[in-house]
Amino acid sequence: MIYAQAQYIIFTAIKYKRIFERFGFNLPSYEKPQPSSKTIYEFEKWFFDLSANDWINTSTGECLTGYLAPVELSYLLEQAVNTDTH
């Protein structure tokens, strides 16, 4: 279970604190691959559908990203988060 209220308290307590310190060595530099992107000019035609977890074009029904969440992530977000504030 993930307890959202407890996690918020922990994040508030460590805000502006240096938690991780760098150590070790520097890796050689390499050229990073560029992520693919899709430019949308008619943004009025798109809306975010929570059930699809994607942006949907209102005129064509096309999904913008085609992202499918892994089963584990869906379970985590839907079942394993305790948002109780008591």
Side-chain angles (χ1 to χ4, degrees), residues 4 6 8-11 14 17 28 33 42 45 49-50 52-53 58 60 64 74 80-81:
Y8 174 77
I9 291 170
I10 292 168
F11 288 158
I14 63 174
K17 305 281 191 280
E42 298 176 11
K45 295 183 179 181
D49 185 6
L50 285 173
N53 288 326
T58 55
T60 65
L64 181 63
S74 296
V81 177

Side-chain angles (χ1 to χ4, degrees), residues 25-40:
F25 57 91
N26 293 328
L27 291 173
S29 61
Y30 65 95
E31 188 175 325
K32 296 179 184 176
Q34 295 296 323
S36 61
S37 63
K38 189 175 190 179
T39 304
I40 303 296

Side-chain angles (χ1 to χ4, degrees), residues 47-61:
F47 74 97
F48 190 80
D49 185 6
L50 285 173
S51 62
N53 288 326
D54 205 347
W55 290 90
I56 309 294
N57 187 314
T58 55
S59 58
T60 65

Side-chain angles (χ1 to χ4, degrees), residues 1-9 81-86:
M1 265 317 233
I2 295 175
Y3 296 95
Q5 182 69 21
Q7 192 171 18
Y8 174 77
I9 291 170
V81 177
N82 182 338
T83 58
D84 223 4
T85 59
H86 301 296

